[in-house]
Amino acid sequence: MIRFEAAGKTYVSLLTRRRVEALADFTLELQPGEVVGIAGPNGAGKSTLISLLLGFLHPSAGRITLDGLSPRDYVESRGVGYLTELVNLPSQWKVPDALGRMAVLAGIPASERDGAVREVMVRLGLEEHRAKRIKQLSKGNLQRVGLGQALLGTFDLVVLDEPTHGLDPLWTQRFRDIVAELRRPDRIILIASHNLDELEQLSDRVAILDHGRLQRVVDHGTTVTADAVAWRLVFEGTPDVAAVLPGALPVAGREGTWRAMASRAELSRGLATLLSAGAVLVECVPEQGRLASAFHEAVKR
Amino acid sequence: MTRDRSPLRYLGHQARDVARGPLALFVVVSAGLAFILWRVFGAREAPDPADLLGGLVAGTLLVAVLIAAGGVAGNDIKQGYYRAWFSKPIAPWWFYLQRWLLGGVAVLTIPLWLGTGLALAFGAGTGISAALVGNVALGYLLIGGAVLLASTVSARDWLVVFLVYFFQRRLEEVQQMLDGLGQDVPWAVDALVRVLPPFHLVTPGAALPEGGELVRLLGYGLGMVALAVVVLRSRPLGSGGRA
C-alpha cells in the first residue's frame, strides 16, 4: 500500500530564498490492484509527486510510505516499473543494448534476460529499430523504448508519467491494452497524464491536482455518475429545451442544437418531458467525458 | 521469476564502458607518447626507463584521473539518466562507487601501457616499479576521490577539482618559498594548505610517501570517497519536478 500523509514539497532558491510550493498537504492511499490516475494542468505538481514517490526528492512536509518503507528504501530493495515523462537514455546506445542494460538493473536473471528483452521488443514493435541508436529514434519510438524498459521485470508498483506522449493513435490504443494486461491484484499502477480520456478509460480513480493541492479524487464507479456534465442535444425543429433543462443554451448557428449541464437523472427527466410533448431527438452525447467535467469543475478552468 | 540481486550485476556493462572510453584512450595516448619519444631520442642514448616513465606518469596523471573519474555521478544527474537507473532495485551510491573504482583500475594500467611502449621503443625495460604503481593508486584515491565528491553536486566535477588542484599547488609553492626565505607564512595561506586536499603529496616519479604524509594522503582520499558515498545515500538525486 502507498500512503501519502500530508506530503508537501517546497522548493527554495539558494540565492534569492524564493519559495515555490510545488505540493502541499497531499493525502491519499493507493491500494494493491488499483490503477490510479493523476491529472492536473501544467505545473500542478504531478511530476513532483512522482519524484517524491520514487525518492528522487525528499518531502519538505508530511510522510510517504510504500509498504511501510521510505520511498528510497522501497525502490532500492524492490524496484519500480517507471516510465519517465521525457525518456532519457544515453544517445549512443543501441535499442537492444539499452533494454538489455535496464534488464540487468531490473534484476532479471542472466538466463532469462535475452528472452525478456526480445519479448518486450516484439510487444512494442521495436524489432525493426534494433540497429538504431537512441539518438536516431523518433519521439514515439523513444517513448516505446521508455515503456519497454519500464515493463522489464515484475514490479508491484508501475508508475507511468505521460505514457502516451508522442505515440500515434495506433500505439496509444496498444498502450491501453498493455496497461490492461499489467493489472494484477497485488500491483498498483499510477498514471500521470494530461489526457483525461485516457485516464478515464484506464484508471479506477483519478486524483486531480491543481496548484500543488489535491482538489478531488474522482472515483469512476460512484462519484462521477452523480455529477453534472455537459451534453450536446440535437432536435428536429426548435423545442424550448431551456424550459425543462434550466441553463441550457442554444448553439449559435446550429438550429435545434443545445448545450446543457445536467446530471443523468436531470437529463432523463428533461428529455422525457420534451419527448412526451412531441419533440424529436436526433442526438444526445456527452460534450465532455465525465472526468473532463469533474476536472474542469475542480480546477475552475 | 527469481530476481538477480547481486550488487555486481551491472559491473560487466560498466567495465565495458570504461574499456571503450578511458582505457582505450590511455592505450592510444601511451602508444603515441612512446612513438613521439622514440622519434625525439632516436639513436641517441636511451634515457633511464624508470626516470622517463616516472616523469611521463607525473605529467599525465592529473588529466588521466580527471578523464577516468570525471562525470561519474554528476553527468547522470545532469542528464536525468538517474531516473531510469534508480527506479530499478540498485543503490545509487554503490552504482557510482563501482564505476569510480573501475576508473581507478583504468588509471592503474597507465604505467603498464606507457612502460610497454617505452620498452618497445628503446629496448631498455619498462621502468615500472611498485612505488610508481603505488603512487598512481594514491593519486587516484586523492584526486579521483575529490572528483567523485564534486561529482555528487556538479556535472563540472573535473573543472572544480582542476581549479582546486591548481589553487592548492600554487599555495603550497608559496608556502615552500616563504619557508625557504625564512619569512612568516600568512596564516590564511597556512590554513588553506592544511585544509585543502594535499595534492602536492602525489609524486609519481618519487618514492612512496611515508609516515604522517601517507596517513594524511590516505585520510583525505578515503574521507572524500566516504563523504561522497554519504552524500549519494542521503541527498536526493532530483532537484525539481522534472530534474
Side-chain angles (χ1 to χ4, degrees), chain A residues 11 47-48 51 55-58 72 75-82 84-85 88-91 93 97 100-102 104-110 112-113 149-150 152 154-155, chain B residues 1-5 9-11 13-14 16-17 20 78-93 95 232-243:
Chain A
Y11 299 111
S47 295
T48 295
S51 290
F56 295 145
L57 293 173
H58 292 335
R72 208 55 243 164
V75 175
E76 285 179 18
S77 61
R78 303 192 201 174
V80 173
Y82 174 44
T84 55
E85 181 183 359
N88 226 348
L89 293 166
S91 58
W93 286 359
D97 185 32
R101 285 169 180 255
M102 299 313 288
V104 174
L105 288 173
I108 297 176
E112 299 168 29
R113 221 170 274 152
Q149 63 81 26
L152 286 164
T154 47
F155 300 113
Chain B
M1 182 196 291
T2 53
R3 189 173 286 173
D4 179 0
R5 293 184 179 277
R9 64 186 187 276
Y10 198 65
L11 181 67
H13 284 290
Q14 288 180 317
R16 272 194 289 279
D17 290 342
R20 288 172 187 159
K78 183 186 175 195
Q79 298 290 342
Y81 300 150
Y82 72 92
R83 287 181 162 269
W85 307 169
F86 304 123
S87 59
K88 309 300 184 206
I90 192 156
W93 71 269
F95 183 93
L232 286 169
R233 276 183 70 89
S234 56
R235 185 173 179 268
L237 295 171
S239 55
R242 289 181 179 80

Side-chain angles (χ1 to χ4, degrees), chain B residues 72-172:
Chain B
V72 162
N75 192 47
D76 279 7
I77 295 169
K78 183 186 175 195
Q79 298 290 342
Y81 300 150
Y82 72 92
R83 287 181 162 269
W85 307 169
F86 304 123
S87 59
K88 309 300 184 206
I90 192 156
W93 71 269
W94 174 251
F95 183 93
Y96 291 126
L97 182 63
Q98 187 171 264
R99 168 60 184 80
W100 180 83
L101 287 168
L102 286 168
V105 172
V107 169
L108 273 175
T109 64
I110 291 174
L112 176 68
W113 311 126
L114 272 174
T116 304
L118 295 179
L120 290 172
F122 300 109
T126 62
I128 298 172
S129 66
L132 178 70
V133 175
N135 268 315
V136 171
L138 288 172
Y140 188 78
L141 178 66
L142 188 70
I143 305 169
V147 177
L148 180 65
L149 179 58
S151 196
T152 63
V153 291
S154 171
R156 292 198 173 90
D157 44 15
W158 63 272
L159 181 61
V160 171
V161 172
F162 178 79
L163 292 174
V164 173
Y165 180 95
F166 184 81
F167 184 58
Q168 190 273 345
R169 293 301 303 267
R170 300 294 82 78
L171 280 178
E172 200 270 337

Side-chain angles (χ1 to χ4, degrees), chain B residues 197-224:
Chain B
F199 293 121
H200 60 284
L201 298 179
V202 177
T203 49
L208 275 171
E210 291 178 335
E213 287 190 346
L214 181 62
V215 170
R216 190 171 170 217
L217 205 155
L218 285 171
Y220 264 90
L222 292 171
M224 286 190 290

Side-chain angles (χ1 to χ4, degrees), chain A residues 99-274:
Chain A
L99 292 172
R101 285 169 180 255
M102 299 313 288
V104 174
L105 288 173
I108 297 176
S111 58
E112 299 168 29
R113 221 170 274 152
D114 288 348
V117 169
R118 210 167 24 247
E119 187 191 324
V120 158
M121 288 187 67
V122 169
R123 195 176 184 187
L124 292 170
L126 292 167
E127 276 291 319
E128 60 185 295
H129 304 294
R130 62 178 308 118
K132 288 184 183 169
R133 297 184 188 280
I134 293 293
K135 64 183 172 191
Q136 295 171 313
L137 295 175
S138 68
K139 202 171 178 181
N141 290 332
L142 184 59
Q143 190 74 0
R144 280 193 265 159
V145 171
L147 183 58
Q149 63 81 26
L151 299 180
L152 286 164
T154 47
F155 300 113
D156 291 339
L157 174 60
V158 175
V159 178
L160 306 169
D161 195 356
E162 298 294 348
T164 52
H165 182 74
L167 294 185
D168 60 32
L170 194 72
W171 276 100
T172 299
Q173 184 52 50
R174 182 78 192 102
F175 162 76
R176 290 173 182 171
D177 297 340
I178 288 169
V179 171
E181 291 163 20
L182 282 175
R183 264 187 190 270
R184 253 179 26 186
D186 55 349
R187 176 178 282 159
I188 297 173
I189 302 176
L190 186 75
I191 305 171
S193 178
H194 286 105
N195 190 332
L196 300 175
D197 182 46
E198 180 174 286
L199 290 180
E200 192 164 35
Q201 287 190 38
L202 294 174
S203 51
D204 305 313
R205 290 191 295 158
V206 177
I208 299 173
L209 277 174
D210 192 24
H211 293 107
R213 290 178 183 273
L214 179 62
Q215 301 297 326
R216 63 188 293 188
V217 178
V218 180
D219 187 323
H220 298 326
T222 55
T223 323
V224 166
T225 52
D227 287 343
V229 298
W231 301 90
R232 190 160 64 93
L233 307 169
V234 184
F235 293 91
E236 277 185 12
T238 52
D240 188 5
V241 178
V244 294
L245 290 170
L249 293 168
V251 176
R254 292 195 177 185
E255 194 178 284
T257 303
W258 293 73
R259 187 174 181 276
M261 285 292 291
S263 67
R264 284 178 172 181
E266 289 164 347
L267 180 71
S268 300
R269 280 195 296 273
L271 285 178
T273 307
L274 287 166

